mmCIF file of all heavy atoms in Angstrom:
data_model
loop_
_atom_site.group_PDB
_atom_site.id
_atom_site.type_symbol
_atom_site.label_atom_id
_atom_site.label_comp_id
_atom_site.label_asym_id
_atom_site.label_seq_id
_atom_site.Cartn_x
_atom_site.Cartn_y
_atom_site.Cartn_z
ATOM 1 N N GLN A 33 1.289 -3.932 0.004
ATOM 2 C CA GLN A 33 2.362 -2.954 -0.062
ATOM 3 C C GLN A 33 2.996 -2.732 1.318
ATOM 4 O O GLN A 33 4.196 -2.628 1.444
ATOM 5 C CB GLN A 33 1.772 -1.644 -0.565
ATOM 6 C CG GLN A 33 2.787 -0.761 -1.195
ATOM 7 C CD GLN A 33 2.182 -0.021 -2.361
ATOM 8 O OE1 GLN A 33 1.297 0.797 -2.173
ATOM 9 N NE2 GLN A 33 2.626 -0.310 -3.552
ATOM 10 N N LYS A 34 2.142 -2.684 2.329
ATOM 11 C CA LYS A 34 2.649 -2.525 3.693
ATOM 12 C C LYS A 34 3.544 -3.695 4.069
ATOM 13 O O LYS A 34 4.549 -3.537 4.753
ATOM 14 C CB LYS A 34 1.483 -2.494 4.685
ATOM 15 C CG LYS A 34 0.920 -1.134 4.926
ATOM 16 C CD LYS A 34 -0.167 -1.222 5.982
ATOM 17 C CE LYS A 34 -1.111 -0.068 5.897
ATOM 18 N NZ LYS A 34 -0.619 1.197 6.366
ATOM 19 N N ARG A 37 6.945 -3.684 1.992
ATOM 20 C CA ARG A 37 7.871 -2.658 2.443
ATOM 21 C C ARG A 37 8.237 -2.886 3.886
ATOM 22 O O ARG A 37 7.437 -2.646 4.765
ATOM 23 C CB ARG A 37 7.195 -1.285 2.355
ATOM 24 C CG ARG A 37 7.016 -0.806 0.984
ATOM 25 C CD ARG A 37 7.882 0.386 0.698
ATOM 26 N NE ARG A 37 7.875 0.634 -0.727
ATOM 27 C CZ ARG A 37 6.840 1.127 -1.381
ATOM 28 N NH1 ARG A 37 5.743 1.422 -0.750
ATOM 29 N NH2 ARG A 37 6.916 1.322 -2.674
ATOM 30 N N LYS A 38 9.466 -3.261 4.129
ATOM 31 C CA LYS A 38 9.868 -3.468 5.517
ATOM 32 C C LYS A 38 10.383 -2.180 6.133
ATOM 33 O O LYS A 38 10.270 -1.973 7.318
ATOM 34 C CB LYS A 38 10.926 -4.570 5.590
ATOM 35 C CG LYS A 38 10.340 -5.958 5.333
ATOM 36 C CD LYS A 38 10.128 -6.745 6.620
ATOM 37 C CE LYS A 38 9.129 -7.870 6.477
ATOM 38 N NZ LYS A 38 9.681 -9.172 6.196
ATOM 39 N N GLY A 39 10.934 -1.340 5.306
ATOM 40 C CA GLY A 39 11.519 -0.116 5.875
ATOM 41 C C GLY A 39 10.908 1.142 5.299
ATOM 42 O O GLY A 39 9.970 1.103 4.524
ATOM 43 N N LEU A 40 11.469 2.229 5.710
ATOM 44 C CA LEU A 40 10.992 3.541 5.303
ATOM 45 C C LEU A 40 11.371 3.826 3.853
ATOM 46 O O LEU A 40 12.469 3.505 3.424
ATOM 47 C CB LEU A 40 11.658 4.558 6.225
ATOM 48 C CG LEU A 40 11.066 5.929 6.403
ATOM 49 C CD1 LEU A 40 9.633 5.855 6.870
ATOM 50 C CD2 LEU A 40 11.923 6.685 7.410
ATOM 51 N N VAL A 41 10.453 4.437 3.120
ATOM 52 C CA VAL A 41 10.765 4.881 1.771
ATOM 53 C C VAL A 41 11.352 6.280 1.860
ATOM 54 O O VAL A 41 10.707 7.194 2.373
ATOM 55 C CB VAL A 41 9.487 4.905 0.904
ATOM 56 C CG1 VAL A 41 9.723 5.628 -0.406
ATOM 57 C CG2 VAL A 41 8.992 3.497 0.665
ATOM 58 N N GLU A 42 12.560 6.429 1.385
ATOM 59 C CA GLU A 42 13.188 7.754 1.395
ATOM 60 C C GLU A 42 12.683 8.520 0.192
ATOM 61 O O GLU A 42 12.484 7.950 -0.871
ATOM 62 C CB GLU A 42 14.711 7.629 1.299
ATOM 63 C CG GLU A 42 15.353 6.804 2.396
ATOM 64 C CD GLU A 42 15.319 7.496 3.747
ATOM 65 O OE1 GLU A 42 15.108 8.729 3.770
ATOM 66 O OE2 GLU A 42 15.484 6.806 4.772
ATOM 67 N N PHE A 64 13.370 12.866 17.497
ATOM 68 C CA PHE A 64 12.229 12.491 18.332
ATOM 69 C C PHE A 64 12.354 13.112 19.720
ATOM 70 O O PHE A 64 11.346 13.414 20.356
ATOM 71 C CB PHE A 64 12.096 10.968 18.427
ATOM 72 C CG PHE A 64 11.598 10.326 17.157
ATOM 73 C CD1 PHE A 64 12.451 9.556 16.363
ATOM 74 C CD2 PHE A 64 10.282 10.502 16.749
ATOM 75 C CE1 PHE A 64 11.988 8.978 15.191
ATOM 76 C CE2 PHE A 64 9.807 9.924 15.575
ATOM 77 C CZ PHE A 64 10.668 9.153 14.787
ATOM 78 N N VAL A 77 9.565 4.288 20.778
ATOM 79 C CA VAL A 77 9.918 4.729 19.424
ATOM 80 C C VAL A 77 11.330 4.241 19.065
ATOM 81 O O VAL A 77 11.566 3.684 17.990
ATOM 82 C CB VAL A 77 9.831 6.270 19.320
ATOM 83 C CG1 VAL A 77 10.429 6.774 18.013
ATOM 84 C CG2 VAL A 77 8.383 6.740 19.461
ATOM 85 N N MET A 80 11.677 0.622 18.390
ATOM 86 C CA MET A 80 11.263 0.187 17.050
ATOM 87 C C MET A 80 12.374 0.372 16.019
ATOM 88 O O MET A 80 12.211 0.024 14.851
ATOM 89 C CB MET A 80 10.022 0.961 16.603
ATOM 90 C CG MET A 80 8.800 0.600 17.413
ATOM 91 S SD MET A 80 7.327 1.444 16.836
ATOM 92 C CE MET A 80 6.816 0.388 15.481
ATOM 93 N N GLY A 81 13.454 0.962 16.451
ATOM 94 C CA GLY A 81 14.581 1.159 15.534
ATOM 95 C C GLY A 81 14.515 2.483 14.792
ATOM 96 O O GLY A 81 15.255 2.700 13.840
ATOM 97 N N PHE A 82 13.632 3.380 15.210
ATOM 98 C CA PHE A 82 13.550 4.684 14.554
ATOM 99 C C PHE A 82 14.610 5.602 15.175
ATOM 100 O O PHE A 82 14.605 5.813 16.379
ATOM 101 C CB PHE A 82 12.187 5.334 14.775
ATOM 102 C CG PHE A 82 11.004 4.561 14.242
ATOM 103 C CD1 PHE A 82 9.721 5.044 14.425
ATOM 104 C CD2 PHE A 82 11.161 3.371 13.560
ATOM 105 C CE1 PHE A 82 8.618 4.348 13.938
ATOM 106 C CE2 PHE A 82 10.069 2.659 13.069
ATOM 107 C CZ PHE A 82 8.787 3.163 13.275
ATOM 108 N N ASN A 83 15.467 6.154 14.348
ATOM 109 C CA ASN A 83 16.480 7.074 14.869
ATOM 110 C C ASN A 83 16.039 8.519 14.746
ATOM 111 O O ASN A 83 16.194 9.303 15.675
ATOM 112 C CB ASN A 83 17.803 6.885 14.136
ATOM 113 C CG ASN A 83 18.346 5.483 14.355
ATOM 114 O OD1 ASN A 83 18.284 4.972 15.469
ATOM 115 N ND2 ASN A 83 18.827 4.852 13.302
ATOM 116 N N ALA A 84 15.505 8.849 13.590
ATOM 117 C CA ALA A 84 15.095 10.229 13.345
ATOM 118 C C ALA A 84 13.757 10.212 12.607
ATOM 119 O O ALA A 84 13.424 9.231 11.946
ATOM 120 C CB ALA A 84 16.150 10.927 12.500
ATOM 121 N N PRO A 85 12.989 11.288 12.704
ATOM 122 C CA PRO A 85 11.705 11.335 11.997
ATOM 123 C C PRO A 85 11.892 11.260 10.483
ATOM 124 O O PRO A 85 12.885 11.760 9.953
ATOM 125 C CB PRO A 85 11.132 12.708 12.385
ATOM 126 C CG PRO A 85 11.869 13.124 13.608
ATOM 127 C CD PRO A 85 13.226 12.517 13.507
ATOM 128 N N SER A 86 10.947 10.644 9.816
ATOM 129 C CA SER A 86 10.971 10.622 8.352
ATOM 130 C C SER A 86 10.571 12.014 7.860
ATOM 131 O O SER A 86 10.167 12.871 8.644
ATOM 132 C CB SER A 86 9.969 9.595 7.827
ATOM 133 O OG SER A 86 8.645 10.053 8.044
ATOM 134 N N LYS A 87 10.695 12.204 6.562
ATOM 135 C CA LYS A 87 10.421 13.533 6.000
ATOM 136 C C LYS A 87 9.034 14.061 6.384
ATOM 137 O O LYS A 87 8.897 15.198 6.824
ATOM 138 C CB LYS A 87 10.547 13.470 4.487
ATOM 139 C CG LYS A 87 10.633 14.811 3.842
ATOM 140 C CD LYS A 87 11.119 14.620 2.444
ATOM 141 C CE LYS A 87 11.870 15.819 1.945
ATOM 142 N NZ LYS A 87 12.645 15.470 0.762
ATOM 143 N N ILE A 88 7.993 13.249 6.230
ATOM 144 C CA ILE A 88 6.678 13.801 6.578
ATOM 145 C C ILE A 88 6.513 13.906 8.094
ATOM 146 O O ILE A 88 5.818 14.783 8.580
ATOM 147 C CB ILE A 88 5.495 13.030 5.956
ATOM 148 C CG1 ILE A 88 5.421 11.609 6.475
ATOM 149 C CG2 ILE A 88 5.487 13.057 4.456
ATOM 150 C CD1 ILE A 88 3.988 11.118 6.439
ATOM 151 N N GLN A 89 7.175 13.030 8.836
ATOM 152 C CA GLN A 89 7.073 13.099 10.302
ATOM 153 C C GLN A 89 7.684 14.380 10.863
ATOM 154 O O GLN A 89 7.211 14.915 11.862
ATOM 155 C CB GLN A 89 7.743 11.867 10.931
ATOM 156 C CG GLN A 89 6.950 10.581 10.724
ATOM 157 C CD GLN A 89 7.759 9.333 11.026
ATOM 158 O OE1 GLN A 89 8.930 9.405 11.413
ATOM 159 N NE2 GLN A 89 7.143 8.175 10.829
ATOM 160 N N LEU A 93 4.542 15.528 12.929
ATOM 161 C CA LEU A 93 4.544 15.258 14.372
ATOM 162 C C LEU A 93 4.363 16.507 15.240
ATOM 163 O O LEU A 93 3.518 16.503 16.132
ATOM 164 C CB LEU A 93 5.798 14.469 14.760
ATOM 165 C CG LEU A 93 5.733 12.980 14.382
ATOM 166 C CD1 LEU A 93 7.069 12.294 14.615
ATOM 167 C CD2 LEU A 93 4.617 12.257 15.152
ATOM 168 N N SER A 108 0.889 11.014 1.265
ATOM 169 C CA SER A 108 2.187 10.572 0.761
ATOM 170 C C SER A 108 2.074 9.086 0.488
ATOM 171 O O SER A 108 1.223 8.403 1.056
ATOM 172 C CB SER A 108 3.290 10.842 1.784
ATOM 173 O OG SER A 108 3.021 10.146 2.988
ATOM 174 N N GLN A 109 2.933 8.610 -0.373
ATOM 175 C CA GLN A 109 2.826 7.203 -0.768
ATOM 176 C C GLN A 109 3.068 6.277 0.415
ATOM 177 O O GLN A 109 3.615 6.685 1.445
ATOM 178 C CB GLN A 109 3.783 6.903 -1.918
ATOM 179 C CG GLN A 109 5.236 6.758 -1.483
ATOM 180 C CD GLN A 109 6.153 6.559 -2.685
ATOM 181 O OE1 GLN A 109 6.489 7.511 -3.376
ATOM 182 N NE2 GLN A 109 6.537 5.325 -2.933
ATOM 183 N N SER A 110 2.667 5.055 0.239
ATOM 184 C CA SER A 110 2.848 4.029 1.247
ATOM 185 C C SER A 110 4.331 3.905 1.625
ATOM 186 O O SER A 110 5.205 3.999 0.768
ATOM 187 C CB SER A 110 2.347 2.704 0.654
ATOM 188 O OG SER A 110 2.605 1.667 1.531
ATOM 189 N N GLY A 111 4.601 3.760 2.907
ATOM 190 C CA GLY A 111 5.978 3.536 3.334
ATOM 191 C C GLY A 111 6.726 4.789 3.759
ATOM 192 O O GLY A 111 7.916 4.735 4.071
ATOM 193 N N THR A 112 6.047 5.927 3.815
ATOM 194 C CA THR A 112 6.742 7.170 4.134
ATOM 195 C C THR A 112 6.602 7.583 5.599
ATOM 196 O O THR A 112 7.093 8.629 6.004
ATOM 197 C CB THR A 112 6.253 8.316 3.212
ATOM 198 O OG1 THR A 112 4.831 8.274 3.172
ATOM 199 C CG2 THR A 112 6.797 8.166 1.810
ATOM 200 N N GLY A 113 5.891 6.769 6.392
ATOM 201 C CA GLY A 113 5.862 7.023 7.828
ATOM 202 C C GLY A 113 4.591 7.640 8.382
ATOM 203 O O GLY A 113 4.590 8.156 9.500
ATOM 204 N N LYS A 114 3.494 7.567 7.621
ATOM 205 C CA LYS A 114 2.232 8.150 8.093
ATOM 206 C C LYS A 114 1.693 7.402 9.317
ATOM 207 O O LYS A 114 1.330 8.007 10.318
ATOM 208 C CB LYS A 114 1.170 8.115 6.976
ATOM 209 C CG LYS A 114 1.511 8.953 5.762
ATOM 210 C CD LYS A 114 0.372 8.980 4.752
ATOM 211 C CE LYS A 114 0.053 7.638 4.122
ATOM 212 N NZ LYS A 114 1.135 7.034 3.355
ATOM 213 N N THR A 115 1.636 6.078 9.212
ATOM 214 C CA THR A 115 1.075 5.278 10.304
ATOM 215 C C THR A 115 1.842 5.505 11.594
ATOM 216 O O THR A 115 1.248 5.758 12.650
ATOM 217 C CB THR A 115 1.103 3.777 9.937
ATOM 218 O OG1 THR A 115 0.470 3.612 8.672
ATOM 219 C CG2 THR A 115 0.385 2.945 10.986
ATOM 220 N N ALA A 116 3.158 5.445 11.508
ATOM 221 C CA ALA A 116 3.973 5.650 12.706
ATOM 222 C C ALA A 116 3.689 7.021 13.305
ATOM 223 O O ALA A 116 3.622 7.174 14.527
ATOM 224 C CB ALA A 116 5.455 5.493 12.360
ATOM 225 N N ALA A 117 3.475 8.024 12.449
ATOM 226 C CA ALA A 117 3.227 9.388 12.926
ATOM 227 C C ALA A 117 1.907 9.459 13.698
ATOM 228 O O ALA A 117 1.861 9.951 14.829
ATOM 229 C CB ALA A 117 3.207 10.372 11.756
ATOM 230 N N PHE A 118 0.813 8.946 13.114
ATOM 231 C CA PHE A 118 -0.454 9.123 13.827
ATOM 232 C C PHE A 118 -0.575 8.181 15.022
ATOM 233 O O PHE A 118 -1.233 8.508 16.005
ATOM 234 C CB PHE A 118 -1.674 9.093 12.888
ATOM 235 C CG PHE A 118 -2.044 7.775 12.271
ATOM 236 C CD1 PHE A 118 -2.599 6.756 13.035
ATOM 237 C CD2 PHE A 118 -1.897 7.568 10.901
ATOM 238 C CE1 PHE A 118 -2.978 5.550 12.455
ATOM 239 C CE2 PHE A 118 -2.259 6.369 10.313
ATOM 240 C CZ PHE A 118 -2.803 5.358 11.098
ATOM 241 N N VAL A 151 1.240 -1.868 15.216
ATOM 242 C CA VAL A 151 2.221 -0.778 15.348
ATOM 243 C C VAL A 151 2.027 -0.088 16.706
ATOM 244 O O VAL A 151 2.984 0.189 17.431
ATOM 245 C CB VAL A 151 2.082 0.251 14.192
ATOM 246 C CG1 VAL A 151 3.024 1.428 14.399
ATOM 247 C CG2 VAL A 151 2.365 -0.418 12.845
ATOM 248 N N MET A 155 4.767 0.196 19.688
ATOM 249 C CA MET A 155 5.265 1.486 20.148
ATOM 250 C C MET A 155 4.932 1.723 21.629
ATOM 251 O O MET A 155 5.666 2.412 22.334
ATOM 252 C CB MET A 155 4.655 2.605 19.286
ATOM 253 C CG MET A 155 5.482 3.861 19.227
ATOM 254 S SD MET A 155 4.715 5.081 18.169
ATOM 255 C CE MET A 155 5.384 4.696 16.568
ATOM 256 N N ASP A 212 -7.722 6.787 8.430
ATOM 257 C CA ASP A 212 -6.550 6.298 7.693
ATOM 258 C C ASP A 212 -6.985 5.723 6.347
ATOM 259 O O ASP A 212 -8.105 5.253 6.202
ATOM 260 C CB ASP A 212 -5.837 5.227 8.525
ATOM 261 C CG ASP A 212 -4.478 4.883 7.926
ATOM 262 O OD1 ASP A 212 -3.919 5.714 7.187
ATOM 263 O OD2 ASP A 212 -3.975 3.777 8.199
ATOM 264 N N GLU A 213 -6.071 5.784 5.375
ATOM 265 C CA GLU A 213 -6.308 5.197 4.055
ATOM 266 C C GLU A 213 -7.594 5.734 3.438
ATOM 267 O O GLU A 213 -8.448 4.964 2.962
ATOM 268 C CB GLU A 213 -6.385 3.666 4.169
ATOM 269 C CG GLU A 213 -5.197 3.094 4.909
ATOM 270 C CD GLU A 213 -4.305 2.231 4.046
ATOM 271 O OE1 GLU A 213 -4.544 2.144 2.817
ATOM 272 O OE2 GLU A 213 -3.366 1.648 4.589
ATOM 273 N N PHE A 243 -5.515 10.751 6.516
ATOM 274 C CA PHE A 243 -4.354 10.254 5.757
ATOM 275 C C PHE A 243 -4.763 9.550 4.477
ATOM 276 O O PHE A 243 -5.758 8.831 4.450
ATOM 277 C CB PHE A 243 -3.529 9.298 6.628
ATOM 278 C CG PHE A 243 -2.989 9.978 7.839
ATOM 279 C CD1 PHE A 243 -3.734 10.050 9.002
ATOM 280 C CD2 PHE A 243 -1.748 10.600 7.798
ATOM 281 C CE1 PHE A 243 -3.266 10.723 10.115
ATOM 282 C CE2 PHE A 243 -1.271 11.280 8.902
ATOM 283 C CZ PHE A 243 -2.010 11.337 10.065
ATOM 284 N N ALA A 245 -2.848 7.791 0.699
ATOM 285 C CA ALA A 245 -1.640 7.539 -0.093
ATOM 286 C C ALA A 245 -1.718 8.262 -1.426
ATOM 287 O O ALA A 245 -0.696 8.590 -2.029
ATOM 288 C CB ALA A 245 -1.447 6.039 -0.315
HETATM 289 P P1 LIG B 1 2.929 4.588 5.813
HETATM 290 O O1 LIG B 1 1.863 4.605 6.850
HETATM 291 O O2 LIG B 1 3.139 5.915 5.144
HETATM 292 O O3 LIG B 1 2.779 3.474 4.822
HETATM 293 P P2 LIG B 1 4.639 3.545 7.920
HETATM 294 O O4 LIG B 1 4.423 4.423 9.088
HETATM 295 O O5 LIG B 1 3.941 2.226 7.908
HETATM 296 O O6 LIG B 1 4.327 4.321 6.558
HETATM 297 O O7 LIG B 1 6.207 3.343 7.774
HETATM 298 C C1 LIG B 1 6.768 2.535 6.766
HETATM 299 C C2 LIG B 1 7.894 1.703 7.357
HETATM 300 O O8 LIG B 1 8.917 2.548 7.835
HETATM 301 C C3 LIG B 1 7.457 0.862 8.534
HETATM 302 O O9 LIG B 1 8.160 -0.354 8.462
HETATM 303 C C4 LIG B 1 7.871 1.678 9.737
HETATM 304 O O10 LIG B 1 8.166 0.852 10.849
HETATM 305 C C5 LIG B 1 9.118 2.380 9.230
HETATM 306 N N1 LIG B 1 9.292 3.725 9.805
HETATM 307 C C6 LIG B 1 8.337 4.661 10.029
HETATM 308 N N2 LIG B 1 8.879 5.784 10.555
HETATM 309 C C7 LIG B 1 10.203 5.555 10.662
HETATM 310 C C8 LIG B 1 11.323 6.336 11.133
HETATM 311 N N3 LIG B 1 11.167 7.575 11.577
HETATM 312 N N4 LIG B 1 12.537 5.752 11.089
HETATM 313 C C9 LIG B 1 12.706 4.503 10.636
HETATM 314 N N5 LIG B 1 11.714 3.719 10.181
HETATM 315 C C10 LIG B 1 10.474 4.234 10.185
#
Side-chain angles (χ1 to χ4, degrees):
Q33 204 144 66
K34 272 183 202 286
R37 288 248 168 72
K38 288 258 159 95
L40 201 56
V41 168
E42 302 289 342
F64 287 109
V77 170
M80 292 183 83
F82 299 178
N83 298 318
S86 71
K87 195 165 208 164
I88 64 152
Q89 288 165 1
L93 284 172
S108 60
Q109 77 184 79
S110 175
T112 46
K114 296 185 295 299
T115 307
F118 71 71
V151 175
M155 205 178 271
D212 191 23
E213 309 246 5
F243 298 88

